[in-house]
């Protein structure tokens, strides 16, 4: 497509950086900002950050927006059919205890309030393949904003912006806040008892050992700016108590009317306790608005693409959505104990193995990365034993970035020389509407492919 300019714009940005001999002062300012901001880190490890951002033109942004929102409609329809149709539900192969939780009604209007759709996007052709969907505890919101702000402090950015006035960026955290507010206000019990329909007390619930603390702190601060009291809540501290004839969800600091559930459903079952029981009871009885509910879990699992690859969705999606799935969802197969693994063993370079449970980009094992066929065989056996999937390997797009700081464990000081990374583009959806980009990449290190991870900022230059 001749109107795609992403790579041209990024090369222009790199040229400006070279003209400034690496923009050492800009790098210092950006690093100083990030040192005082919310840390750029996530459950995938501590990534480095890029001094050069992802730069989209209006054409690329249009493709990505349409892809995200089309996938959002598909997620809503698949979740609705999952809730209504036991045969369709069985295709996700969830354990009975977990499946029972996913059927608890939420009491509000959207089935999937939040999602991040990851795509492998070719900046030069506009082609893309879906890589995965995260609806439970999707990461990268704060990191993408902070790294973008850091890049904007540099002289390189100033010169680029002079050439491209009207550059836009994404306020992803703001999108989360708006979606939380709108979802809570649509909740059936938003104004019951002592609850406040516009300023509920919000608990961001997770296990502290798994929580993305920097992202949660960012959301808490932004909510405070709007007069909403929010706090990070250890799920173990939750309980149900009765006061004034009303049962309510509380922790050590008091009542919680609105839960932003960031704890993974699978982790709740792995770590049972009074707090887990209290959260489930609060959702079941409508004692608190549990945003995310439990019904978003099925479409956040690695089984989703296997279901979409089957004929089961032909009566669920319309013709345009089916065409989207056939064009952009990679071939995916659910594995089970004793299934025939020969087709995947014969062509290891074609496949990724993903474990059962929630989609996480860093947990895939590529057949091509295994030491030998025996190693790949062991990966497949383990995946089949737990009910994981094999997924056709998508074609990644590689582009040069200049690092702002070396990745943890990176034995090479790349200085101001570009590093070629494989791109993975996260597309945020808030209540079905596109809300921003989480641009990241990876390059090989001593412990294998993608052992060094890079978070990039994102700019939109529409001129």
């Amino acid at each position: 497509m001749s109107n795609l300019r992403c790579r041209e714009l990024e090369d222009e940005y790199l040229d400006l950086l070279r003209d400034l001999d690496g923009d050492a002062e800009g790098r210092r300012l950006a690093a100083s900002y990030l040192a005082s901001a919310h840390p750029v880190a996530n459950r995938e490890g501590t990534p480095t950050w890029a001094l050069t951002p992802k730069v989209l033109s209006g054409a690329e942004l249009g493709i990505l927006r349409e892809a995200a929102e089309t996938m959002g409609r598909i997620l809503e329809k698949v979740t609705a059919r999952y809730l209504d149709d036991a045969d369709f539900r069985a295709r996700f192969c969830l354990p009975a205890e977990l499946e029972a939780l996913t059927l608890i009604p939420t009491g509000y209007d959207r089935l999937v309030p939040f999602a991040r759709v990851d795509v492998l996007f070719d900046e030069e052709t506009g082609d893309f393949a879906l890589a995965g969907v995260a609806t439970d505890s999707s990461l990268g919101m704060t990191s993408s904003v902070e790294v973008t702000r850091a890049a904007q402090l540099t002289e390189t950015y100033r010169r680029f912006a002079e050439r491209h006035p009207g550059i836009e960026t994404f306020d992803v955290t703001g999108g989360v806040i708006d979606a939380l507010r709108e979802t809570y206000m649509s909740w059936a019990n938003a104004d019951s008892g002592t609850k406040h329909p516009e300023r509920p007390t919000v608990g961001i619930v997770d296990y502290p050992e798994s929580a993305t603390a920097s992202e949660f702190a960012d959301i808490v601060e932004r909510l405070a700016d709007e007069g909403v009291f929010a706090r990070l809540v250890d799920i173990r501290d939750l309980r149900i108590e009765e006061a004034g004839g009303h049962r309510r969800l509380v922790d050590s600091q008091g009542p919680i009317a609105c839960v932003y559930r960031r704890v993974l459903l699978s982790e709740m079952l792995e770590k049972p306790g009074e707090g887990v029981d209290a959260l489930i009871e609060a959702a079941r009885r409508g004692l608190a608005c549990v945003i995310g509910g439990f019904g978003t879990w099925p479409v956040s699992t690695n089984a989703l693409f296997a279901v979409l690859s089957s004929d089961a969705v032909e009566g669920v999606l319309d013709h345009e959505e089916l065409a989207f799935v056939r064009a952009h969802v990679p071939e995916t197969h659910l594995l089970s104990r004793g299934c025939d693994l020969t087709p995947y063993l014969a062509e290891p370079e074609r496949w990724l193995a993903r474990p059962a449970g929630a989609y996480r980009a860093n947990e895939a094992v590529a057949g091509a990365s295994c030491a030998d066929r025996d190693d790949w065989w062991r990966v497949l056996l383990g995946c089949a034993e737990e009910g994981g999937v094999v997924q056709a390997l998508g074609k990644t797009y590689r582009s040069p970035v200049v690092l702002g700081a070396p990745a943890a464990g990176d034995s090479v000081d790349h200085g101001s020389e570009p590093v070629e990374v494989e791109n993975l583009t996260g597309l945020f959806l808030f209540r079905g509407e596109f809300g921003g980009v989480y641009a990241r990449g990876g390059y090989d290190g001593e412990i294998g492919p993608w052992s060094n991870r890079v978070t990039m900022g994102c700019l939109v230059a529409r001129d």
Side-chain angles (χ1 to χ4, degrees):
M1 297 176 66
S2 58
N3 60 340
L4 298 181
R5 300 181 57 230
C6 183
R7 187 57 182 265
E8 173 191 332
L9 292 166
E10 289 174 2
D11 287 345
E12 180 185 340
Y13 202 101
L14 282 167
D15 288 341
L16 288 172
L17 186 68
R18 292 189 190 96
D19 291 343
L20 291 165
D21 295 323
D23 197 356
E25 177 61 13
R27 186 191 303 267
R28 185 192 67 76
L29 289 170
S32 177
Y33 171 78
L34 288 174
S36 63
H38 299 100
V40 180
N42 57 40
R43 282 198 299 263
E44 296 177 351
T46 304
T48 189
W49 53 277
L51 194 62
T52 53
K54 180 66 56 189
V55 187
L56 304 173
S57 73
E60 291 92 6
L61 184 63
I63 292 170
L64 295 174
R65 180 189 300 275
E66 184 176 357
E69 294 187 352
T70 300
M71 193 60 187
R73 292 191 296 272
I74 290 170
L75 297 179
E76 285 280 321
K77 288 185 177 182
V78 167
T79 301
R81 179 60 63 92
Y82 171 93
L83 294 172
D84 292 342
D85 185 335
D87 291 336
F88 186 80
R89 192 157 58 239
R91 288 179 174 269
F92 287 83
C93 299
L94 298 181
E97 184 180 6
L98 201 156
E99 182 182 286
L101 293 181
T102 66
L103 300 179
I104 297 174
T106 62
Y108 51 73
D109 63 347
R110 294 287 306 195
L111 293 175
V112 185
F114 305 105
R116 194 194 71 229
V117 179
D118 282 350
V119 298
L120 302 174
F121 179 62
D122 188 317
E123 299 172 6
E124 296 178 57
T125 67
D127 294 335
F128 63 90
L130 275 72
V133 175
T135 61
D136 283 45
S137 200
S138 55
L139 304 171
M141 293 176 281
T142 295
S143 294
S144 61
V145 171
E146 297 289 34
V147 175
T148 300
R149 289 173 176 168
Q152 289 180 292
L153 296 173
T154 66
E155 176 65 15
T156 309
Y157 172 80
R158 189 189 69 77
R159 294 189 182 187
F160 185 79
E162 282 183 349
R163 296 184 180 185
H164 304 278
I167 284 176
E168 300 171 12
T169 59
F170 299 105
D171 181 10
V172 184
T173 308
V176 177
I177 302 301
D178 290 344
L180 282 170
R181 180 193 305 107
E182 291 169 22
T183 303
Y184 181 80
M185 290 180 70
S186 76
W187 182 50
N189 296 336
D191 56 359
S192 65
T194 60
K195 299 184 181 73
H196 195 294
E198 295 178 1
R199 290 191 296 277
T201 302
V202 177
I204 306 176
V205 174
D206 206 342
Y207 290 95
E209 64 268 26
S210 303
T212 314
S214 60
E215 194 157 273
F216 295 175
D218 187 19
I219 295 170
V220 167
E221 290 167 16
R222 292 286 293 270
L223 284 168
D225 290 342
E226 299 191 10
V228 175
F229 178 60
R231 58 185 180 269
L232 172 59
V233 176
D234 183 340
I235 189 172
R236 298 180 181 93
D237 290 342
L238 292 175
R239 65 186 186 279
I240 305 294
E241 70 172 22
E242 186 168 333
H246 295 281
R247 300 179 73 221
R248 56 188 186 176
L249 181 69
V250 304
D251 70 348
S252 58
Q253 296 187 52
I256 299 167
C258 177
V259 170
Y260 178 20
R261 181 178 69 81
R262 291 288 296 249
V263 58
L264 293 175
L265 211 53
S266 56
E267 192 172 8
M268 287 171 56
L269 296 186
E270 291 165 4
K271 302 173 181 178
E274 180 184 357
V276 170
D277 294 341
L279 181 60
I280 294 170
E281 181 72 1
R284 181 175 284 121
R285 304 300 178 190
L287 306 181
C289 178
V290 181
I291 296 184
F294 303 127
T296 60
W297 178 256
V299 295
S300 72
T301 67
N302 288 320
L304 172 65
F305 284 2
V307 174
L308 291 178
S309 297
S310 73
D311 59 6
V313 294
E314 291 183 2
V316 178
L317 308 179
D318 65 28
H319 292 303
E320 289 184 2
E321 291 158 350
L322 285 171
F324 177 90
V325 166
R326 304 308 179 221
H328 302 295
V329 172
E331 179 185 352
T332 306
H333 302 279
L334 273 167
L335 301 181
S336 59
R337 185 182 302 174
C339 70
D340 182 13
L341 301 175
T342 306
Y344 320 117
L345 182 66
E347 299 180 281
E349 69 282 354
R350 282 195 58 211
W351 302 101
L352 292 171
R354 293 191 182 277
Y359 160 74
R360 289 179 177 173
N362 64 320
E363 291 186 343
V365 178
S369 70
C370 292
D372 51 37
R373 189 156 297 195
D374 287 342
D375 188 24
W376 176 231
W377 176 249
R378 285 189 288 271
V379 169
L380 289 172
L381 282 175
C383 196
E385 185 70 19
E386 66 168 26
V389 303
V390 285
Q391 181 177 309
L393 183 64
K395 182 181 178 182
T396 56
Y397 181 80
R398 302 178 72 92
S399 65
V401 302
V402 173
L403 303 180
D410 190 350
S411 59
V412 179
D413 182 2
H414 299 278
S416 60
E417 290 301 310
V419 173
E420 194 171 70
V421 301
E422 294 185 358
N423 288 261
L424 184 62
T425 306
L427 310 175
F428 289 107
L429 281 167
F430 304 122
R431 293 174 60 82
E433 294 187 5
F434 174 68
V437 171
Y438 177 29
R440 63 219 197 266
Y443 59 99
D444 295 356
E446 292 181 350
I447 60 173
W450 263 70
S451 56
N452 294 317
R453 307 179 193 281
V454 183
T455 298
M456 295 171 264
C458 186
L459 310 175
V460 179
R462 293 185 181 274
D463 56 297

